């Protein structure tokens, strides 16, 4: 099963997440975290200078059409997670803290957590986001605080990254036919 059994205690759930990460790769681990919420998107953005780059992404519907690969920090909701360590809004359009509403009309709900390197410097953000209003349970936030903070310490050899996109944005030189073929092969 791809789900984490929520009847397990938090330590066992954390261990199940770590096993998914090491056995099946980061995308499977993000899928597990996404599955615990009602959010469509879950991602890890890496802070590179003044921009955030989508390093790993999971879309529950597997469409990827609305994906933002590079986002200026000052125009992102992640700026608040970077400043405060964590940021959440269940309804961007009704949140008085978001006067200039970055990406209004694109993102309506957001949960973000700052990821730190072992030396304490900012690495990037772990985020859940959605195009419609959503909330996240307090016990799930506690679980995420315990779980995703270890991400920057991972050995790159533990990760398996698969990005397949037959559209115009990612690796257009592959072409739609090859992208669709690869995507079909990876499903089985």
């Amino acid at each position: 099963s791809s789900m984490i059994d929520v009847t397990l205690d938090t330590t066992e759930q954390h261990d199940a997440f770590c096993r998914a990460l090491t056995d099946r790769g980061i995308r499977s681990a993000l899928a597990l975290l996404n599955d615990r919420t009602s959010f469509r998107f879950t991602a890890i953005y890496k802070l590179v200078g003044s921009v955030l780059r989508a390093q790993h992404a999971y879309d529950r519907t597997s469409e990827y059409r609305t994906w933002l690969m590079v986002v200026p920090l000052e125009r992102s909701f992640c700026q608040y997670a970077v400043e405060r360590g964590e940021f959440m809004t269940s309804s961007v359009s009704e949140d008085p803290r978001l006067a200039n509403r970055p990406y209004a009309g694109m993102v309506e709900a957001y949960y973000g957590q700052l990821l730190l390197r072992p030396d304490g410097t900012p690495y990037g953000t772990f985020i859940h986001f959605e195009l419609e209003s959503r909330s996240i349970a307090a016990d799930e936030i506690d679980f995420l605080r315990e779980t995703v903070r270890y991400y920057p310490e991972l050995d790159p050899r533990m990760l398996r990254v698969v990005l397949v996109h037959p559209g115009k944005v990612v690796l257009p030189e592959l072409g739609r036919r090859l992208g669709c073929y690869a995507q079909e092969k990876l499903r089985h």
Side-chain angles (χ1 to χ4, degrees), residues 20-172:
L21 187 61
T22 56
D23 296 348
R24 296 191 304 276
I26 187 67
R27 192 168 185 284
S28 290
L30 290 180
L32 284 175
L33 294 176
N34 177 272
D35 195 50
R36 296 167 60 95
T37 74
S38 60
F39 286 78
R40 174 177 164 186
F41 302 99
T42 300
I44 291 176
Y45 276 82
K46 185 175 182 179
L47 187 58
V48 181
S50 62
V51 300
L52 291 154
R53 295 189 181 277
Q55 189 171 38
H56 304 288
Y58 178 78
D59 174 353
R60 184 174 289 176
T61 66
S62 301
E63 290 178 7
Y64 295 106
R65 282 197 280 270
T66 55
W67 212 257
L68 296 169
M69 298 305 286
V70 180
V71 183
L73 180 62
E74 77 276 358
R75 292 190 56 215
S76 75
F77 293 106
C78 293
Q79 67 181 304
Y80 306 115
V82 169
E83 285 171 11
R84 302 171 187 169
E86 187 174 59
F87 183 74
M88 176 176 45
T89 181
S90 58
S91 182
V92 169
S93 58
E94 297 176 14
D95 193 324
R97 299 173 298 174
L98 303 172
N100 51 353
R101 292 183 178 78
Y103 296 104
M106 291 181 71
V107 173
E108 181 59 21
Y110 172 93
Y111 168 80
Q113 186 181 131
L114 175 64
L115 297 173
L116 298 173
R117 291 183 176 91
D119 67 6
T121 60
Y123 174 87
T125 54
F126 166 87
I127 63 173
H128 286 306
F129 66 100
E130 177 61 66
L131 312 178
E132 300 169 5
S133 183
R134 293 282 188 275
S135 59
I136 188 167
D139 60 343
E140 183 60 18
I141 292 172
D142 290 342
F143 180 77
L144 289 171
R145 286 176 184 152
E146 281 299 308
T147 304
V148 302
R149 65 188 169 127
Y150 298 108
Y151 173 78
E153 297 176 20
L154 294 175
D155 184 323
R157 291 170 297 185
M158 294 169 64
L159 304 178
R160 187 177 68 236
V161 179
V162 177
L163 176 61
V164 175
H165 190 290
K168 297 176 183 175
V169 180
V170 180
L171 299 176

Side-chain angles (χ1 to χ4, degrees), residues 164-167 174-187:
V164 175
H165 190 290
L174 289 181
R176 179 171 176 75
R177 201 167 133 242
L178 184 55
C180 289
Y181 171 80
Q183 193 169 28
E184 188 59 33
K185 285 294 179 191
L186 290 168
R187 282 194 183 128

